[in-house]
Amino acid sequence: MNEKQLVKVLKFIAVAGIMTAAVISVLKSGIIRHKFDEIKKKFNYKKNRDSMILIAKQINRDIQNINRRTSQRYHDKNQEKYDELWGNDYSCN
């Protein structure tokens, strides 16, 4: 190996070392991690928002079902069914 080739190899090793050190310093500085966390939060926010909307819709449906089941009309309908099965002797009213 002559001197020119040795100098080229050493320059390449030096440049590769500097680039590696730069990449490691950027990764350790947290800039990349901070940007990644921001992107992750944005996606999680959208996912959480969609799931919260679904939960709110389910709660609204549950409230409507409870209101319907506790209404006087529902009670009267069930009372008629109960009276047909057991007769008026065991009526709740």
Side-chain angles (χ1 to χ4, degrees), residues 29-93:
S29 70
I31 295 170
I32 302 291
R33 182 176 292 165
H34 180 68
K35 291 294 183 186
F36 181 71
D37 287 344
E38 285 180 0
I39 293 169
K40 196 168 133 184
K41 276 184 187 179
K42 191 180 286 187
F43 283 118
N44 283 344
Y45 172 77
K46 187 172 183 178
K47 182 180 171 186
N48 289 342
R49 182 177 175 272
D50 293 343
S51 65
M52 292 299 282
I53 288 172
L54 290 175
I55 291 170
K57 286 181 180 179
Q58 182 63 42
I59 290 171
N60 284 340
R61 273 183 257 143
D62 291 344
I63 290 171
Q64 288 172 352
N65 286 338
I66 289 170
N67 289 340
R68 189 184 75 238
R69 278 184 262 147
T70 57
S71 71
Q72 187 63 35
R73 180 175 155 240
Y74 187 82
H75 177 70
D76 292 342
K77 197 157 103 179
N78 281 344
Q79 189 63 46
E80 289 172 11
K81 288 180 189 176
Y82 187 81
D83 290 344
E84 288 175 12
L85 286 173
W86 304 103
N88 286 334
D89 296 337
Y90 303 101
S91 174
C92 292
N93 290 335

